[in-house]
Amino acid sequence: ERPWLLADGAMGTNLYNMGLAPGQAPDLWNDSQPDKVADLHRQMIAAGADLILTNSFGANATRLRVSGAEGRVAALNHAAAGLARDAAQDAKRPVTIAGSMGPTGEIMAPIGRLTEAEATAIFTQQAEALKEGGAELLWVETISALEEMRAAARAAQSVDLPWCGTMSFEPGGRSMMGVTPPQLAALIDRLPHPPVAYGANCGTGPAELLMVLSGFAASGNELPLIAKPNAGVPRYQDGGLIYDATPAVMAEFAVLARDLGVRIIGGCCGTTPPHLAAMHAALIETPPGPRPNTETISARIGAAMRLAAETGD
C-alpha cells in the first residue's frame, strides 16, 4: 500500500515520565504496572504506529540479574508480548508485534567473557517466551558487537521467527565496539538466517543517524533499512526527561529517511506519541522528494532544530 512502515517511539523514556523510578528496570512493569504499559502501546498505535515493540528491551537473564529478577525471564517476556498483542488487537487496522531484545549487557569474547554460545542461549530463552506470548517477529536493537548480532540471529533461527536487527552508532560512525555500517552490512549478507530488515537506532539524534544510514545505502545490501533515532539529546525538566528534537524536527527526519529509501521509520529514546503523530502526518502529507545527500540532511535537520528553538514548537 505504501513504501514505508512507521515503528513506534520510546518505551523506557515514556514509562519514566509515567512514573517509573530512576534505576528501575522498565521490564518489571509488565508485571507490576501492566495497565500503564498497555496504555503506552495504545497511544503509539493511535499516533500511527504500524509496528510496536514489546516492553522487553532488558528482559534477558544477564540484565535482569541486576534487579534480582533473572528467574523471571519467561514470565516477563511472555507478559510483554501479551500486552502488546492485546493493544494491537484493539486497533482498527493491522499492527505488527515485534519482540524487543536489547544487548545482554556483557562484553563479548575475546575482549570480554561472554561467548557467542552463551549469548545465543540467553537470547533464545528470551525469544521463546516472546514468541509464546504473541510476538510475530523479533526486534534485536542497540547492539554494538558483530558477535552479539550473530548470536541473536541464531536465537531467531532456533525459534523459527523472522527478525530485524539494528546497531547503535556513536558520533564518527562506529558502534561502541568499533563496528562500521559496511561491516554490519557485510555480516548481514553472510548470516544463514538473515533479518527481514536492518539498520540503526538510538545514537545522538536524527541527523547523525541518517548519516549512518547513508553508509548502509552505499554498501550494496538490498535488504530494507530501519531508522529509529533518539529524539535528540536529553535534559531533565519539570520532573521528567525532555529531548531537544521536537515533533516538528522528527517529522522532518521521517520525510528525509523515507526519501533516503528507508522502509521502517520510527523513534528511540525521547520519542513520544506526539512526536510519532507528527512523523505520521508528515509521511502521509509530504510528497516524495529527491534522495537527500549528507549536506541536505544536515541543513534540513539543522534548520528544523533552529526553527523549533525560535518558535518553541
Side-chain angles (χ1 to χ4, degrees), residues 67-80:
S67 304
E70 64 269 29
R72 299 169 62 191
V73 172
L76 289 171
N77 281 280
H78 193 280

Side-chain angles (χ1 to χ4, degrees), residues 27 54-61 63-64 73-74 77-78 99-104 120-132 138-139 155 159:
D27 323 274
T54 58
N55 181 36
S56 55
F57 175 83
N60 61 63
R63 291 177 69 98
L64 286 174
V73 172
N77 281 280
H78 193 280
S100 172
M101 300 202 310
T104 62
T120 299
I122 290 167
F123 284 132
T124 300
Q125 180 188 27
Q126 185 178 11
E128 288 173 343
L130 287 168
K131 180 179 181 179
E132 290 173 3
L138 299 175
W139 190 276
V159 301

Side-chain angles (χ1 to χ4, degrees), residues 4-176:
W4 52 268
L5 294 175
L6 187 65
D8 64 5
M11 179 59 67
T13 308
N14 284 297
L15 293 184
Y16 177 75
N17 290 336
M18 293 167 72
L20 181 72
Q24 183 182 15
D27 323 274
L28 301 179
W29 268 27
N30 295 325
D31 178 47
S32 63
Q33 299 281 355
D35 291 345
K36 290 186 178 181
V37 176
D39 180 56
L40 181 56
H41 285 316
R42 291 188 174 93
Q43 289 183 48
M44 293 294 182
I45 293 170
D50 302 301
L51 182 151
I52 57 172
L53 275 58
T54 58
N55 181 36
S56 55
F57 175 83
N60 61 63
T62 52
R63 291 177 69 98
L64 286 174
R65 188 178 300 132
V66 177
S67 304
E70 64 269 29
R72 299 169 62 191
V73 172
L76 289 171
N77 281 280
H78 193 280
L83 291 169
R85 180 198 61 220
D86 291 346
Q89 288 176 345
D90 290 343
K92 304 300 183 183
R93 54 188 174 80
V95 176
T96 298
I97 306 156
S100 172
M101 300 202 310
T104 62
E106 301 288 337
I107 303 296
M108 298 292 298
I111 299 174
R113 297 182 178 181
L114 188 69
T115 67
E116 281 193 45
E118 291 168 336
T120 299
I122 290 167
F123 284 132
T124 300
Q125 180 188 27
Q126 185 178 11
E128 288 173 343
L130 287 168
K131 180 179 181 179
E132 290 173 3
E136 299 168 90
L137 74 153
L138 299 175
W139 190 276
V140 181
E141 56 179 331
T142 326
I143 303 298
S144 62
L146 294 176
E147 297 84 358
E148 198 164 30
M149 189 70 81
R150 216 164 28 222
R154 291 194 183 101
Q157 185 173 20
S158 71
V159 301
D160 192 28
L161 275 181
W163 67 288
C164 293
T166 62
M167 274 191 166
S168 179
F169 294 88
E170 306 290 329
R174 291 180 178 268
S175 76
M176 185 178 68

